[in-house]
């Protein structure tokens, strides 16, 4: 499976970084032609399910996910959420971790292993590279100081 690992530092405190990174609807807004459909009642918890739907018109691609670990940050401990991808086309997992930095701010870690069914393993490096670009963009935007 393509392994994606991204680290991003922000001046935001861990609680605010966590809030932004676990606002699933905002995730969809960061990916072109994507919206997030929340399938369970808030707040987020183990068992929360949502789908990232990408596409135009009737041509769409669904990436359903479920929260299987939910550990919000509590100083001085890091926060960690783990998502299992439950789709027919995309499988794997994603983890988002927020770690407090000495002197303030947060270091966010995004780790993801994904597999697109039907794609030969020979395309794994291309899948990982595309994922890194897409997820780095989303992470940067979600954690931008101006909140966009």
């Amino acid at each position: 499976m393509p392994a994606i690992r991204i680290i991003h530092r922000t001046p935001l405190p861990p609680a605010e970084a966590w809030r932004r990174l676990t606002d699933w609807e905002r995730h969809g807004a960061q990916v072109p032609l994507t919206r997030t459909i929340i399938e369970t009642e808030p707040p987020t918890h183990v068992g929360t399910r949502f789908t990232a739907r990408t596409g135009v018109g009737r041509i769409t691609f669904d990436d359903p996910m479920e929260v299987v670990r939910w550990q919000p940050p509590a100083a001085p401990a890091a926060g960690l959420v783990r998502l299992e991808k439950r789709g027919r086309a995309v499988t794997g997992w994603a983890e988002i971790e927020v770690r407090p930095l000495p002197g303030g701010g947060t270091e966010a870690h995004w780790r993801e292993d994904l597999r697109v069914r039907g794609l030969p393993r020979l395309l794994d490096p291309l899948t990982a590279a595309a994922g890194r670009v897409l997820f780095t963009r989303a992470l940067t935007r979600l954690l931008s100081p101006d909140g966009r």
Side-chain angles (χ1 to χ4, degrees):
M1 287 188 202
I4 298 163
R5 303 226 184 321
I6 304 161
I7 298 173
H8 181 87
R9 289 182 174 212
T10 176
L12 297 171
E16 178 62 12
W18 178 262
R19 185 189 69 74
R20 291 179 184 202
L21 291 173
T22 60
D23 181 342
W24 310 122
E25 289 173 330
R26 284 190 74 220
H27 276 252
Q30 307 313 313
V31 180
L33 305 174
T34 300
R35 68 185 173 104
T36 304
I37 302 157
I38 310 297
E39 299 160 16
T40 51
E41 292 296 318
T44 298
H45 56 281
V46 169
T48 292
R49 291 181 318 279
F50 58 93
T51 298
R53 177 167 288 157
T54 303
V56 176
R58 293 164 42 120
I59 302 171
T60 61
F61 172 86
D62 284 352
D63 183 8
M65 293 170 252
E66 181 177 348
V67 174
V68 296
R69 184 167 179 191
W70 179 256
Q71 178 186 327
L80 177 67
V81 61
R82 182 179 172 99
L83 308 168
E84 293 287 338
K85 294 179 171 286
R86 307 273 193 219
R88 289 182 296 214
V90 178
T91 61
W93 56 267
E95 290 181 341
I96 301 169
E97 183 177 10
V98 297
R99 299 177 183 175
L101 290 170
T106 303
E107 186 174 82
H109 292 248
W110 185 309
R111 298 178 289 270
E112 187 148 352
D113 274 350
L114 62 92
R115 183 88 185 123
V116 179
R117 290 184 196 194
L119 282 183
R121 293 250 180 215
L122 136 84
L123 295 178
D124 281 357
L126 183 59
T127 301
R132 254 184 235 98
V133 168
L134 186 67
F135 300 138
T136 297
R137 179 179 182 260
L139 187 61
T140 301
R141 292 175 125 191
L142 288 165
L143 295 176
S144 73
D146 64 5
R148 292 186 193 179

